[in-house]
Amino acid sequence: MQNQTDTPAASPSPAPISVAHSDPRNEHNTRVREALMRYRPVHVAPADWLAVRDFVIDAVLAHDPTDARIAIELVSTVGQYVLWAMNEQHAPLDRDDLFYPSMMNRFIRSRTGAESTRTMMRSRLYRVANAVAGVERHRGGVGGRPTAPLAPYSRRELAELESWARTVRNRQKRRAAHIALAFAGGAGLTTGELLDLRGEDAFRTAHGISVRVTGRNSARTVPVRTDWAHYLDQYLDTFVDGELLLYPTNTGKGRHTAFRSVYMGGHPAPNLQRLRDTWMLDIVSRFPIPVVLAVAGGGLNSLQRYLDAVALDSVDQYDTALRAPAESANSRKRGADASQFLGTGDNR
């Protein structure tokens, strides 16, 4: 999507001479929009581009680019990202569901080429994300985190989710709701990861149920917490290897639309991002960072907002331990083995 059609969009036809009292800023915005409307990405089907064009252009214009050339560069990158997010991550065409750091970082890591190219794409994406969704950039243009505070579920709200799950009448929706609750609430999976699950990805071990995530940049196996695994009791043995777990007979974008209809509306319908946030805050506060990285997906940058939320104001209680000499590798392994029992027993 780096190139456009033979018609040079960056050099729009001169605008008509302004009438008296016209607003130069409005004229500038009109010229930029006209240039963007003429832009045609290569290697993208015209129908696919038409489906997202207005959304992408509106997002870029919210950043208020200074000229058409910069605007086209932004549209090229944002357009690639939006199409990737919709087609590979099953994200809806919605600003809040698209412009957040962990999703954007996954996209950037998925790109091939020089690091300088990824850095440029990151800069462009975060500039637009800041304008449309309030996403802040770290110094140096790496990573980023939303300004909105985390809102983990309270115990009362989780109990209300349980009640909601029992009242879903449609059998297919109830099945989808229970699968989503088990794997988003009990293993922290994202919406895109849920939609990619197949029958063989959920399985029993000697310790309980686990789920396998097969994404190229976030492949991992996650134990499902015991207080969420019960949602799978009547479904696990019916999963078919090779078959998508959620709406396997729907095609294309229809799968996401059907799935989203399961949890539309406010509480007590579940918010899948809040379910992941609640799960993430729990594991970040209880397990060592290497364990968190192994089960959370997304890499270290995606953990920053959760680490900020559990950061300590004082480390006085660890003063003695911090002054002690470093442990040997064998001592650390013994400590990790012992901590597994604490983590398993405290999995409430």
Side-chain angles (χ1 to χ4, degrees):
M1 289 183 58
Q2 298 268 343
N3 302 318
Q4 54 259 19
T5 56
D6 294 336
T7 303
S11 302
S13 302
I17 298 175
S18 303
V19 297
H21 307 299
S22 64
D23 185 348
R25 189 72 236 167
N26 289 340
E27 292 178 13
H28 167 81
N29 291 341
T30 299
R31 288 195 297 270
V32 171
R33 178 177 286 276
E34 289 173 351
L36 295 181
M37 293 297 287
R38 290 195 296 273
Y39 172 82
R40 296 292 184 273
V42 296
H43 307 308
V44 175
D48 290 343
W49 174 239
L50 189 61
V52 303
R53 182 188 65 185
D54 290 344
F55 176 89
V56 171
I57 288 176
D58 287 343
V60 167
L61 291 178
H63 172 62
D64 197 18
T66 56
D67 60 49
R69 179 187 61 80
I70 292 174
I72 289 170
E73 291 173 349
L74 292 172
V75 163
S76 174
T77 297
V78 175
Q80 291 180 65
Y81 168 66
V82 169
L83 288 168
W84 170 88
M86 291 178 63
N87 294 332
E88 297 191 27
Q89 302 297 307
H90 311 289
L93 196 61
D94 179 90
R95 289 184 176 187
D96 290 337
D97 285 317
L98 281 171
F99 292 106
Y100 64 94
S102 60
M103 176 83 84
M104 293 190 294
N105 291 340
R106 283 200 298 274
F107 167 75
I108 293 163
R109 286 194 301 273
S110 74
R111 302 297 92 178
T112 57
E115 180 59 29
S116 59
T117 300
R118 287 192 289 273
T119 299
M120 175 190 66
M121 297 180 82
R122 179 184 294 115
S123 174
R124 291 175 181 174
L125 269 182
Y126 273 92
R127 280 149 61 191
V128 174
N130 175 263
V132 301
V135 175
E136 295 179 341
R137 283 176 287 165
H138 288 303
R139 293 184 183 276
V142 178
R145 53 187 182 270
T147 55
L150 292 166
Y153 277 111
S154 66
R155 289 184 179 273
R156 178 183 59 80
E157 288 176 317
L158 290 175
E160 291 167 349
L161 287 184
E162 178 100 17
S163 298
W164 172 86
R166 290 196 296 266
T167 62
V168 179
R169 295 183 177 181
N170 179 279
R171 184 171 62 180
Q172 188 178 32
K173 286 188 175 183
R174 183 168 61 250
R175 178 182 183 274
H178 286 202
I179 290 172
L181 288 170
F183 293 132
L189 269 61
T190 65
T191 302
E193 290 168 346
L194 289 169
L195 284 165
D196 284 339
L197 289 178
R198 296 181 180 271
E200 67 272 19
D201 294 328
F203 56 92
R204 285 191 177 90
T205 72
H207 305 289
I209 297 173
S210 293
V211 60
R212 184 186 301 110
V213 180
T214 57
R216 182 174 64 177
N217 297 305
S218 56
R220 61 197 189 277
T221 298
V222 190
V224 179
R225 281 179 41 167
T226 55
D227 51 343
W228 294 88
H230 68 90
Y231 285 112
L232 300 173
D233 286 347
Q234 62 180 306
Y235 304 114
L236 189 63
D237 293 332
T238 70
F239 294 164
V240 178
D241 288 356
E243 183 178 277
L244 292 164
L245 292 188
L246 295 168
Y247 295 97
T249 59
N250 292 61
T251 59
K253 299 179 180 66
R255 292 188 62 237
H256 189 283
T257 300
F259 181 43
R260 190 168 189 179
S261 71
V262 174
Y263 55 91
M264 286 180 64
H267 186 76
N271 180 308
L272 299 186
Q273 184 61 50
R274 285 187 70 194
L275 282 173
R276 175 171 167 81
D277 289 345
T278 304
W279 179 85
M280 284 291 302
L281 286 171
D282 174 61
I283 65 166
V284 164
S285 65
R286 292 199 293 124
F287 296 101
I289 291 297
V291 176
V292 176
L293 287 171
V295 298
L300 188 58
N301 282 338
S302 67
L303 300 183
Q304 188 62 57
R305 59 195 299 240
Y306 305 107
L307 295 173
D308 289 345
V310 300
L312 299 173
D313 293 329
S314 171
V315 295
D316 289 349
Q317 60 181 312
Y318 299 102
D319 187 87
T320 301
L322 288 169
R323 296 179 192 281
E327 295 179 349
S328 67
N330 287 338
S331 298
R332 286 196 298 273
K333 184 177 185 304
R334 285 195 299 271
D337 290 342
S339 70
Q340 281 194 15
F341 294 100
L342 292 174
T344 303
D346 193 38
N347 211 10
R348 296 188 295 271

